[in-house]
Amino acid sequence: GTLSEAKDLSDIVRKKGCNRLILVTSDYHTRRVLNTFLKYGSDNSFELYIYGSEDEKNIRYLFSEYMKLFIYDHFAIPGYS
């Protein structure tokens, strides 16, 4: 999931000595990715760039992403160690 990917990729970027991480994800998913990666890149050891790709969207996916964003911002990110 997004939490474990953010933690693992941030660790890999640091270990490899990279100074930049570029992520491409669905455009409606970028805010959750950004919020999650900022938690693990908060030491500013690398620059983070997130770009949204153009995907087909429907109300079901957008509503699902909105709910996930709320859960991540209020529960998952603060509670994930």
Side-chain angles (χ1 to χ4, degrees):
T2 305
L3 284 170
S4 61
E5 289 171 357
K7 183 179 183 314
D8 293 344
L9 280 174
S10 296
D11 290 344
I12 291 169
V13 167
R14 279 188 206 91
K15 287 178 186 172
K16 297 245 182 214
C18 298
N19 59 3
R20 189 172 297 126
L21 178 60
I22 301 170
L23 301 169
V24 179
T25 187
S26 299
D27 59 354
Y28 59 85
H29 184 55
T30 55
R31 176 167 275 185
R32 183 161 49 109
V33 170
L34 174 64
N35 293 352
T36 307
F37 272 82
L38 285 177
K39 175 179 174 63
Y40 296 104
S42 62
D43 63 357
N44 295 320
S45 60
F46 58 87
E47 296 174 24
L48 179 63
Y49 298 90
I50 299 176
Y51 297 96
S53 65
E54 292 186 22
D55 281 340
E56 182 178 330
K57 299 173 222 44
N58 66 40
I59 192 72
R60 181 174 162 239
Y61 289 125
L62 295 175
F63 182 73
S64 172
E65 184 58 34
Y66 180 78
M67 294 306 299
K68 289 177 187 178
L69 177 62
F70 179 84
I71 291 168
Y72 268 63
D73 284 348
H74 293 88
F75 303 104
I77 293 172
Y80 191 75
S81 56

Coordinates of all heavy atoms in Angstrom, one line a residue:
G1 N 0.8 -1.2 0.0 CA 0.0 0.0 0.0 C 0.9 1.3 0.0 O 2.1 1.2 0.0
T2 N 0.2 2.4 0.0 CA 0.9 3.7 -0.1 C 1.8 3.9 1.1 O 2.9 4.4 0.9 CB -0.1 4.8 -0.2 OG1 -1.0 4.5 -1.4 CG2 0.5 6.1 -0.5
L3 N 1.4 3.5 2.3 CA 2.2 3.8 3.5 C 3.5 3.0 3.4 O 4.6 3.5 3.6 CB 1.5 3.4 4.7 CG 0.4 4.3 5.2 CD1 -0.4 3.7 6.3 CD2 1.0 5.6 5.7
S4 N 3.4 1.7 3.1 CA 4.7 0.9 3.1 C 5.5 1.3 1.9 O 6.8 1.3 2.0 CB 4.3 -0.6 3.1 OG 3.6 -0.9 1.9
E5 N 4.9 1.6 0.8 CA 5.7 2.1 -0.4 C 6.5 3.4 -0.1 O 7.6 3.5 -0.4 CB 4.8 2.3 -1.6 CG 4.3 1.0 -2.2 CD 3.2 1.2 -3.2 OE1 2.8 2.3 -3.5 OE2 2.8 0.2 -3.8
A6 N 5.8 4.3 0.6 CA 6.5 5.6 1.0 C 7.6 5.3 1.9 O 8.7 5.9 1.7 CB 5.4 6.5 1.6
K7 N 7.5 4.5 2.9 CA 8.5 4.2 3.8 C 9.7 3.5 3.1 O 10.8 3.9 3.2 CB 8.0 3.4 5.0 CG 9.1 3.1 6.0 CD 8.5 2.3 7.2 CE 9.5 2.1 8.3 NZ 10.8 1.6 7.8
D8 N 9.4 2.4 2.4 CA 10.4 1.6 1.7 C 11.1 2.4 0.7 O 12.4 2.4 0.6 CB 9.8 0.3 1.1 CG 9.3 -0.6 2.2 OD1 9.6 -0.5 3.4 OD2 8.5 -1.5 1.8
L9 N 10.4 3.1 -0.2 CA 11.1 3.9 -1.3 C 11.9 5.0 -0.7 O 13.0 5.3 -1.2 CB 10.1 4.4 -2.2 CG 9.6 3.5 -3.3 CD1 8.4 4.1 -4.1 CD2 10.7 3.0 -4.2
S10 N 11.4 5.7 0.4 CA 12.2 6.7 1.0 C 13.5 6.2 1.6 O 14.6 6.8 1.4 CB 11.4 7.4 2.1 OG 10.3 8.1 1.5
D11 N 13.4 5.0 2.2 CA 14.6 4.4 2.7 C 15.6 4.0 1.6 O 16.8 4.2 1.8 CB 14.3 3.1 3.5 CG 13.6 3.4 4.8 OD1 13.6 4.6 5.3 OD2 13.0 2.5 5.4
I12 N 15.1 3.5 0.5 CA 16.0 3.1 -0.6 C 16.7 4.3 -1.2 O 17.9 4.3 -1.5 CB 15.1 2.3 -1.7 CG1 14.7 1.0 -1.2 CG2 15.9 2.2 -3.0 CD1 13.7 0.3 -2.0
V13 N 15.9 5.4 -1.4 CA 16.5 6.6 -1.9 C 17.6 7.1 -1.1 O 18.7 7.5 -1.5 CB 15.4 7.7 -2.1 CG1 16.0 9.1 -2.4 CG2 14.4 7.3 -3.2
R14 N 17.4 7.1 0.3 CA 18.5 7.6 1.2 C 19.7 6.7 1.1 O 20.8 7.1 1.1 CB 17.9 7.6 2.6 CG 17.1 8.8 2.9 CD 16.8 8.9 4.4 NE 15.6 9.7 4.6 CZ 14.3 9.2 4.6 NH1 14.1 7.9 4.5 NH2 13.3 10.0 4.7
K15 N 19.5 5.3 1.2 CA 20.6 4.4 1.2 C 21.4 4.5 -0.1 O 22.6 4.3 -0.1 CB 20.0 3.0 1.4 CG 19.6 2.7 2.8 CD 19.0 1.3 2.9 CE 18.4 1.1 4.3 NZ 17.7 -0.1 4.4
K16 N 20.7 4.7 -1.2 CA 21.4 4.8 -2.5 C 22.1 6.2 -2.7 O 22.8 6.4 -3.6 CB 20.5 4.6 -3.7 CG 19.9 3.2 -3.7 CD 20.3 2.5 -4.9 CE 19.7 1.1 -4.9 NZ 20.6 0.1 -5.5
G17 N 21.8 7.1 -1.8 CA 22.4 8.5 -1.9 C 21.8 9.3 -3.0 O 22.4 10.3 -3.4
C18 N 20.6 9.0 -3.4 CA 19.9 9.8 -4.4 C 19.4 11.1 -3.7 O 19.1 11.2 -2.6 CB 18.7 9.1 -5.0 SG 19.1 7.6 -5.8
N19 N 19.4 12.2 -4.5 CA 18.9 13.4 -4.0 C 17.6 13.9 -4.5 O 17.1 14.9 -4.2 CB 19.9 14.6 -4.2 CG 20.2 14.8 -5.7 OD1 19.6 14.1 -6.5 ND2 21.1 15.7 -6.0
R20 N 16.9 13.0 -5.3 CA 15.7 13.3 -6.0 C 14.9 12.1 -6.2 O 15.4 11.0 -6.6 CB 16.0 14.0 -7.3 CG 14.9 14.6 -8.1 CD 15.3 15.3 -9.3 NE 16.2 16.5 -8.9 CZ 17.4 16.7 -9.4 NH1 17.9 15.9 -10.2 NH2 18.1 17.7 -8.9
L21 N 13.6 12.2 -5.9 CA 12.6 11.1 -6.1 C 11.5 11.6 -7.0 O 10.9 12.6 -6.6 CB 12.1 10.5 -4.8 CG 11.1 9.4 -4.9 CD1 11.6 8.2 -5.7 CD2 10.6 9.0 -3.5
I22 N 11.2 11.0 -8.1 CA 10.2 11.5 -9.0 C 9.1 10.3 -9.1 O 9.5 9.2 -9.4 CB 10.7 11.8 -10.4 CG1 11.7 12.9 -10.4 CG2 9.5 12.1 -11.4 CD1 12.5 13.1 -11.7
L23 N 7.9 10.7 -8.7 CA 6.8 9.7 -8.7 C 5.8 10.1 -9.7 O 5.4 11.3 -9.8 CB 6.2 9.6 -7.3 CG 7.1 9.2 -6.2 CD1 6.4 9.4 -4.9 CD2 7.5 7.7 -6.3
V24 N 5.2 9.1 -10.4 CA 4.1 9.4 -11.3 C 3.0 8.5 -10.9 O 3.2 7.2 -10.7 CB 4.5 9.1 -12.8 CG1 3.3 9.3 -13.7 CG2 5.7 9.9 -13.2
T25 N 1.8 9.0 -10.6 CA 0.7 8.3 -10.2 C -0.6 8.8 -10.8 O -0.6 9.9 -11.5 CB 0.6 8.3 -8.6 OG1 -0.4 7.4 -8.2 CG2 0.4 9.7 -8.1
S26 N -1.7 8.2 -10.6 CA -3.0 8.7 -11.1 C -3.2 10.1 -10.5 O -2.9 10.4 -9.3 CB -4.1 7.8 -10.6 OG -4.0 6.5 -11.1
D27 N -3.7 11.0 -11.3 CA -3.8 12.4 -10.9 C -4.7 12.6 -9.7 O -4.4 13.4 -8.8 CB -4.3 13.3 -12.0 CG -5.6 12.9 -12.6 OD1 -6.2 11.9 -12.3 OD2 -6.1 13.7 -13.5
Y28 N -5.7 11.7 -9.5 CA -6.6 11.8 -8.3 C -5.9 11.2 -7.1 O -6.4 11.4 -6.0 CB -8.0 11.2 -8.6 CG -7.9 9.7 -8.9 CD1 -7.9 8.7 -8.0 CD2 -7.9 9.4 -10.3 CE1 -7.8 7.4 -8.3 CE2 -7.9 8.0 -10.6 CZ -7.8 7.1 -9.7 OH -7.8 5.7 -10.0
H29 N -4.8 10.6 -7.2 CA -4.1 9.9 -6.1 C -2.9 10.7 -5.6 O -2.3 10.4 -4.6 CB -3.6 8.5 -6.6 CG -3.0 7.7 -5.6 ND1 -3.5 7.3 -4.5 CD2 -1.8 7.0 -5.7 CE1 -2.7 6.5 -3.8 NE2 -1.6 6.3 -4.5
T30 N -2.6 11.8 -6.3 CA -1.4 12.6 -6.0 C -1.4 13.2 -4.6 O -0.3 13.2 -3.9 CB -1.1 13.7 -7.0 OG1 -2.3 14.6 -7.1 CG2 -0.8 13.1 -8.4
R31 N -2.5 13.7 -4.1 CA -2.5 14.3 -2.7 C -2.2 13.3 -1.7 O -1.4 13.6 -0.8 CB -3.8 15.0 -2.5 CG -3.8 15.5 -1.0 CD -4.9 16.4 -0.8 NE -4.5 17.7 -1.2 CZ -5.2 18.8 -1.1 NH1 -6.4 18.7 -0.5 NH2 -4.8 19.9 -1.5
R32 N -2.8 12.1 -1.7 CA -2.5 11.1 -0.7 C -1.0 10.6 -0.8 O -0.3 10.4 0.2 CB -3.4 9.9 -0.9 CG -3.2 8.8 0.2 CD -4.4 7.9 0.3 NE -4.9 7.3 -0.9 CZ -4.7 6.1 -1.2 NH1 -4.1 5.2 -0.5 NH2 -5.2 5.6 -2.4
V33 N -0.5 10.5 -2.0 CA 0.9 10.1 -2.2 C 1.8 11.2 -1.6 O 2.8 10.9 -0.9 CB 1.2 9.8 -3.7 CG1 2.7 9.7 -3.9 CG2 0.5 8.6 -4.2
L34 N 1.5 12.4 -1.9 CA 2.3 13.5 -1.4 C 2.3 13.6 0.1 O 3.4 13.6 0.8 CB 1.8 14.9 -1.9 CG 2.5 16.1 -1.4 CD1 4.0 16.1 -1.7 CD2 1.8 17.4 -1.8
N35 N 1.1 13.5 0.7 CA 1.0 13.6 2.2 C 1.8 12.4 2.8 O 2.5 12.6 3.9 CB -0.4 13.5 2.6 CG -1.2 14.8 2.3 OD1 -0.6 15.7 1.8 ND2 -2.5 14.8 2.5
T36 N 1.7 11.2 2.2 CA 2.4 10.0 2.8 C 3.9 10.1 2.6 O 4.6 9.9 3.6 CB 1.8 8.8 2.2 OG1 0.4 8.8 2.2 CG2 2.4 7.5 2.8
F37 N 4.3 10.5 1.5 CA 5.8 10.6 1.2 C 6.4 11.7 2.0 O 7.6 11.6 2.4 CB 6.1 10.7 -0.3 CG 6.3 9.4 -0.9 CD1 5.2 8.7 -1.4 CD2 7.5 8.8 -1.1 CE1 5.3 7.4 -2.0 CE2 7.7 7.6 -1.7 CZ 6.5 6.9 -2.1
L38 N 5.7 12.8 2.3 CA 6.2 13.9 3.1 C 6.6 13.4 4.5 O 7.5 13.9 5.1 CB 5.3 15.1 3.1 CG 5.2 15.9 1.8 CD1 4.2 17.0 2.0 CD2 6.6 16.5 1.5
K39 N 5.8 12.5 5.0 CA 6.1 12.0 6.3 C 7.4 11.3 6.4 O 8.2 11.5 7.3 CB 5.0 11.0 6.8 CG 5.3 10.3 8.1 CD 4.3 9.4 8.5 CE 4.6 8.6 9.8 NZ 4.8 9.3 11.0
Y40 N 7.8 10.6 5.4 CA 9.0 9.8 5.4 C 10.2 10.5 4.7 O 11.3 10.1 4.9 CB 8.8 8.4 4.7 CG 7.8 7.6 5.5 CD1 6.5 7.5 5.1 CD2 8.2 7.1 6.7 CE1 5.6 6.7 5.8 CE2 7.3 6.4 7.5 CZ 6.0 6.2 7.0 OH 5.1 5.6 7.8
G41 N 9.9 11.6 4.0 CA 11.0 12.4 3.5 C 11.1 13.7 4.2 O 11.7 14.7 3.7
S42 N 10.6 13.8 5.4 CA 10.6 15.1 6.1 C 12.0 15.5 6.6 O 12.1 16.7 7.0 CB 9.6 15.0 7.3 OG 10.1 14.0 8.2
D43 N 13.0 14.7 6.5 CA 14.3 15.1 6.9 C 15.0 15.9 5.7 O 16.1 16.3 5.9 CB 15.2 13.9 7.3 CG 15.4 12.9 6.2 OD1 14.8 13.1 5.1 OD2 16.1 11.9 6.4
N44 N 14.3 16.0 4.6 CA 14.8 16.8 3.5 C 16.1 16.2 2.9 O 16.9 17.0 2.4 CB 15.0 18.3 3.8 CG 13.7 19.0 4.1 OD1 12.7 18.7 3.5 ND2 13.7 19.8 5.1
S45 N 16.2 14.9 3.0 CA 17.4 14.3 2.4 C 17.3 14.1 0.9 O 18.3 13.8 0.3 CB 17.7 13.0 3.1 OG 16.6 12.1 2.9
F46 N 16.1 14.3 0.4 CA 15.9 14.2 -1.1 C 14.8 15.1 -1.5 O 13.9 15.4 -0.7 CB 15.7 12.8 -1.5 CG 14.5 12.1 -0.9 CD1 13.2 12.3 -1.5 CD2 14.7 11.3 0.2 CE1 12.2 11.6 -0.9 CE2 13.6 10.7 0.8 CZ 12.3 10.8 0.2
E47 N 14.8 15.6 -2.7 CA 13.7 16.3 -3.3 C 12.6 15.4 -3.8 O 12.9 14.3 -4.3 CB 14.2 17.2 -4.5 CG 15.2 18.2 -4.1 CD 15.8 18.9 -5.4 OE1 15.1 18.9 -6.4 OE2 16.9 19.3 -5.3
L48 N 11.4 15.8 -3.6 CA 10.3 14.9 -4.0 C 9.4 15.6 -5.0 O 9.0 16.8 -4.9 CB 9.4 14.6 -2.8 CG 8.2 13.8 -3.0 CD1 8.5 12.4 -3.5 CD2 7.4 13.7 -1.7
Y49 N 9.2 15.0 -6.2 CA 8.4 15.5 -7.2 C 7.3 14.4 -7.5 O 7.6 13.2 -7.7 CB 9.2 15.7 -8.5 CG 10.3 16.7 -8.3 CD1 11.6 16.3 -7.9 CD2 10.0 18.1 -8.6 CE1 12.6 17.3 -7.8 CE2 11.0 19.0 -8.4 CZ 12.3 18.6 -8.0 OH 13.3 19.6 -7.8
I50 N 6.1 14.9 -7.6 CA 4.9 14.0 -7.8 C 4.1 14.5 -9.0 O 3.7 15.7 -9.0 CB 4.0 13.8 -6.6 CG1 4.9 13.2 -5.5 CG2 2.9 12.9 -6.9 CD1 4.1 13.0 -4.2
Y51 N 3.9 13.7 -10.0 CA 3.2 14.1 -11.2 C 2.0 13.2 -11.4 O 2.1 12.0 -11.2 CB 4.1 14.0 -12.4 CG 5.2 15.0 -12.4 CD1 6.5 14.6 -11.9 CD2 5.1 16.3 -12.7 CE1 7.6 15.4 -11.8 CE2 6.2 17.2 -12.6 CZ 7.4 16.7 -12.2 OH 8.4 17.6 -12.1
G52 N 0.9 13.8 -11.7 CA -0.3 13.0 -12.0 C -0.4 12.6 -13.4 O -0.2 13.4 -14.3
S53 N -0.8 11.4 -13.7 CA -1.0 10.9 -15.1 C -2.5 11.1 -15.3 O -3.3 11.1 -14.4 CB -0.6 9.5 -15.2 OG -1.4 8.6 -14.4
E54 N -2.8 11.2 -16.6 CA -4.2 11.3 -17.0 C -4.9 9.9 -17.0 O -4.4 9.1 -17.8 CB -4.4 12.0 -18.3 CG -4.0 13.5 -18.2 CD -4.2 14.2 -19.5 OE1 -5.1 13.8 -20.3 OE2 -3.6 15.2 -19.7
D55 N -5.8 9.7 -16.1 CA -6.5 8.4 -16.1 C -8.0 8.7 -16.3 O -8.5 9.8 -16.0 CB -6.3 7.8 -14.7 CG -5.0 7.1 -14.5 OD1 -4.4 6.8 -15.5 OD2 -4.6 6.9 -13.4
E56 N -8.7 7.6 -16.7 CA -10.1 7.7 -16.7 C -10.6 7.7 -15.3 O -10.2 6.9 -14.5 CB -10.7 6.5 -17.5 CG -12.1 6.5 -17.7 CD -12.7 5.4 -18.4 OE1 -11.9 4.8 -19.3 OE2 -13.8 4.9 -18.2
K57 N -11.5 8.7 -15.0 CA -12.0 8.8 -13.7 C -13.5 8.6 -13.7 O -14.2 8.9 -14.7 CB -11.8 10.2 -13.1 CG -10.3 10.6 -13.0 CD -10.2 12.1 -12.6 CE -9.2 12.8 -13.3 NZ -9.0 12.7 -14.7
N58 N -14.0 8.1 -12.6 CA -15.5 8.0 -12.4 C -15.7 8.4 -11.0 O -14.8 8.4 -10.1 CB -16.1 6.7 -12.9 CG -15.6 5.5 -12.0 OD1 -15.5 5.6 -10.8 ND2 -15.4 4.4 -12.7
I59 N -17.0 8.6 -10.6 CA -17.3 9.1 -9.3 C -16.9 8.0 -8.3 O -16.6 8.4 -7.1 CB -18.8 9.5 -9.2 CG1 -19.1 10.2 -8.0 CG2 -19.7 8.3 -9.4 CD1 -18.5 11.6 -7.9
R60 N -17.0 6.8 -8.6 CA -16.7 5.7 -7.6 C -15.2 5.8 -7.2 O -14.9 5.8 -6.0 CB -17.0 4.4 -8.2 CG -16.7 3.2 -7.3 CD -17.2 1.9 -8.0 NE -16.5 0.8 -7.3 CZ -15.7 -0.1 -7.8 NH1 -15.5 0.0 -9.1 NH2 -15.2 -1.0 -7.2
Y61 N -14.3 5.9 -8.2 CA -12.9 6.0 -7.8 C -12.6 7.3 -7.1 O -11.8 7.3 -6.1 CB -12.0 6.0 -9.1 CG -12.0 4.6 -9.8 CD1 -12.3 4.5 -11.1 CD2 -11.6 3.5 -9.0 CE1 -12.3 3.2 -11.7 CE2 -11.5 2.3 -9.6 CZ -11.9 2.1 -10.9 OH -11.9 0.9 -11.5
L62 N -13.2 8.4 -7.5 CA -12.9 9.7 -6.8 C -13.4 9.7 -5.4 O -12.8 10.1 -4.5 CB -13.6 10.8 -7.6 CG -13.0 11.1 -9.0 CD1 -13.8 12.2 -9.7 CD2 -11.5 11.5 -8.9
F63 N -14.6 9.1 -5.1 CA -15.2 9.0 -3.8 C -14.3 8.1 -2.9 O -14.0 8.4 -1.8 CB -16.6 8.5 -3.8 CG -17.2 8.4 -2.5 CD1 -17.6 9.5 -1.8 CD2 -17.4 7.2 -1.9 CE1 -18.2 9.5 -0.5 CE2 -17.9 7.1 -0.6 CZ -18.3 8.2 0.1
S64 N -13.9 7.0 -3.5 CA -13.0 6.0 -2.8 C -11.7 6.7 -2.4 O -11.2 6.6 -1.3 CB -12.7 4.8 -3.7 OG -11.8 4.0 -3.1
E65 N -11.1 7.5 -3.3 CA -9.8 8.1 -3.0 C -10.0 9.2 -2.0 O -9.2 9.4 -1.1 CB -9.2 8.8 -4.3 CG -7.9 9.4 -4.1 CD -6.8 8.5 -3.6 OE1 -6.9 7.3 -3.9 OE2 -6.0 8.9 -2.8
Y66 N -11.1 9.9 -2.0 CA -11.4 11.0 -1.0 C -11.5 10.3 0.4 O -11.0 10.9 1.4 CB -12.7 11.7 -1.4 CG -13.1 12.7 -0.3 CD1 -12.4 14.0 -0.3 CD2 -14.0 12.5 0.6 CE1 -12.7 15.0 0.6 CE2 -14.3 13.5 1.6 CZ -13.7 14.7 1.5 OH -14.0 15.7 2.5
M67 N -12.2 9.2 0.5 CA -12.3 8.5 1.8 C -10.9 8.0 2.2 O -10.6 8.1 3.4 CB -13.3 7.3 1.7 CG -14.7 7.8 1.4 SD -15.3 9.0 2.6 CE -15.2 8.1 4.1
K68 N -10.1 7.4 1.3 CA -8.8 7.0 1.7 C -7.9 8.2 2.2 O -7.2 8.0 3.1 CB -8.1 6.3 0.5 CG -8.7 4.9 0.2 CD -8.1 4.4 -1.0 CE -8.7 3.1 -1.5 NZ -8.1 2.6 -2.7
L69 N -8.0 9.3 1.5 CA -7.3 10.5 1.9 C -7.6 10.9 3.3 O -6.8 11.2 4.1 CB -7.5 11.6 0.9 CG -6.8 12.9 1.2 CD1 -5.3 12.8 1.2 CD2 -7.3 14.0 0.2
F70 N -8.9 10.9 3.6 CA -9.4 11.3 4.9 C -8.8 10.3 6.0 O -8.3 10.7 7.0 CB -10.9 11.3 5.0 CG -11.4 11.6 6.4 CD1 -11.5 12.9 6.8 CD2 -11.8 10.6 7.3 CE1 -12.0 13.3 8.0 CE2 -12.2 10.9 8.5 CZ -12.3 12.2 8.9
I71 N -8.9 9.0 5.7 CA -8.4 8.0 6.6 C -6.9 8.1 6.8 O -6.4 8.0 7.9 CB -8.8 6.6 6.2 CG1 -10.3 6.4 6.3 CG2 -8.1 5.5 6.9 CD1 -10.9 5.2 5.6
Y72 N -6.2 8.3 5.7 CA -4.7 8.4 5.8 C -4.3 9.6 6.6 O -3.5 9.6 7.5 CB -4.1 8.5 4.4 CG -3.7 7.2 3.8 CD1 -4.6 6.2 3.6 CD2 -2.4 6.9 3.5 CE1 -4.3 5.0 3.0 CE2 -2.0 5.7 2.9 CZ -2.9 4.7 2.7 OH -2.6 3.5 2.2
D73 N -4.9 10.8 6.3 CA -4.5 12.0 6.9 C -4.8 12.0 8.4 O -4.1 12.6 9.2 CB -5.2 13.2 6.3 CG -4.6 13.6 5.0 OD1 -3.5 13.1 4.7 OD2 -5.2 14.4 4.2
H74 N -5.9 11.4 8.8 CA -6.4 11.5 10.2 C -6.0 10.3 11.1 O -6.0 10.4 12.3 CB -7.9 11.7 10.3 CG -8.2 13.1 9.8 ND1 -8.5 13.3 8.4 CD2 -8.3 14.3 10.4 CE1 -8.8 14.6 8.3 NE2 -8.7 15.2 9.4
F75 N -5.8 9.1 10.5 CA -5.5 7.9 11.3 C -4.3 7.2 10.8 O -3.4 6.9 11.7 CB -6.7 7.0 11.2 CG -8.0 7.6 11.6 CD1 -8.9 8.0 10.7 CD2 -8.3 7.8 12.9 CE1 -10.1 8.6 11.1 CE2 -9.4 8.4 13.4 CZ -10.4 8.8 12.4
A76 N -4.2 6.9 9.6 CA -3.1 6.0 9.1 C -1.7 6.6 9.2 O -0.8 6.0 9.8 CB -3.4 5.5 7.7
I77 N -1.5 7.8 8.6 CA -0.2 8.4 8.6 C 0.2 8.8 10.1 O 1.3 8.5 10.5 CB -0.2 9.7 7.7 CG1 -0.3 9.2 6.3 CG2 1.1 10.5 7.9 CD1 -0.5 10.4 5.3
P78 N -0.6 9.4 10.9 CA -0.2 9.7 12.3 C 0.1 8.4 13.1 O 1.0 8.4 14.0 CB -1.4 10.4 12.9 CG -2.1 11.0 11.7 CD -1.9 10.0 10.6
G79 N -0.6 7.3 12.8 CA -0.4 6.1 13.6 C 0.6 5.1 13.1 O 0.9 4.1 13.8
Y80 N 1.1 5.3 11.9 CA 2.0 4.3 11.2 C 3.4 4.5 11.7 O 3.9 5.6 11.7 CB 1.9 4.4 9.7 CG 2.6 3.3 9.0 CD1 2.0 2.1 8.9 CD2 3.8 3.5 8.4 CE1 2.6 1.0 8.2 CE2 4.4 2.5 7.7 CZ 3.8 1.3 7.6 OH 4.4 0.2 6.9
S81 N 4.0 3.5 12.2 CA 5.4 3.6 12.7 C 6.4 3.0 11.8 O 6.1 2.2 11.0 CB 5.5 3.0 14.1 OG 5.1 1.7 14.1

